[in-house]
Amino acid sequence: MGGAEQVTRTLAREAARSGRYRHVDCFVLCWSRTGTLDELERLGNVTLHYTLARNEAGGVFALLRLLRRHAYDLVFSSNTHVNALCSMARALGWLRTRRLVARESTAFFDRDFGWATPVLRRFYLLYGAQDLIVCQTERMQHALERHTRGRLTAITRTLPNPIDLERIAEGRTADVPAAVAAIPADRTLIVWCGRLSAVKQPVRAVETLAALHAKGCTGHHLVMIGDGSEAAAVDAAIAAAELGGFVTRCGHLANPIAVMARAGLGLVTSDTEGFPNVVLEMLAAGVSRVVSTDCAG
């Protein structure tokens, strides 16, 4: 799960535990049930609703049916499309809720979605029926206010992202992959963690290690956690730089904290982020220094 999903899961768990809510419905706009949220249902007062639709549009009507089923005390979402849909539903009377909170999950106005960019930005015309819009950084809030001409300023706030300390504690006791355990003890580990996607620029991490080695810092070893569409490009960059003995690719890890805890340095290479939650996870895991691109403000 990405940062937005982690935050939403944590909020649902804490709401279920708080005693303030009789029941929590979690609607998952997803085409398969992966098991990452099963722990929520074990709390006893949480129901997971999966659309199992083949695409996002296929889940919209299922979401509207769920929203109309009850009068809610709180509705929370962290996806631009769902945020817009919930706002519109409330304005039209389809959604009855005491509080509607939307969280901005990405720096939407700093990203290029190709031909769809102007279409997607029109979703913000549907915003406005929320009680609160949460931005992760001041840069994100200023961009939202600028592009919506201040229409949403009164209901927009910048709030720090939460950190799931239970997940951190569980991760500290987990075993590390054998490939990480086999790295020579005299090397300084640099940890990189995220989806291997173009916006995360994972090849830049390999280039950073190559630059360090070129300066004589040959004791540094890069550990990359995650998988995705850029995996082949990353492997090609490792081979081209002849760094096969100094880069360990772990693939996807359900909880990467144990690996992070072994690292002396953290690295974030993204072009743009809403806010890289992985920075908070690295620091909480015990990484002493994190180096990042200016991706979030």
Side-chain angles (χ1 to χ4, degrees), residues 14-16 18-24 45 73-74 99:
E14 296 307 314
S18 69
R20 296 177 59 185
Y21 303 97
R22 180 174 56 83
H23 196 83
V24 177
N45 61 340
D73 289 302
L74 170 65
R99 288 169 292 181

Side-chain angles (χ1 to χ4, degrees), residues 107 109-110 138-148:
F109 298 102
D110 294 337
E138 290 182 357
R139 178 187 292 182
M140 179 185 283
Q141 181 173 345
H142 293 160
L144 177 63
E145 291 175 346
R146 185 169 63 253
H147 286 277
T148 57

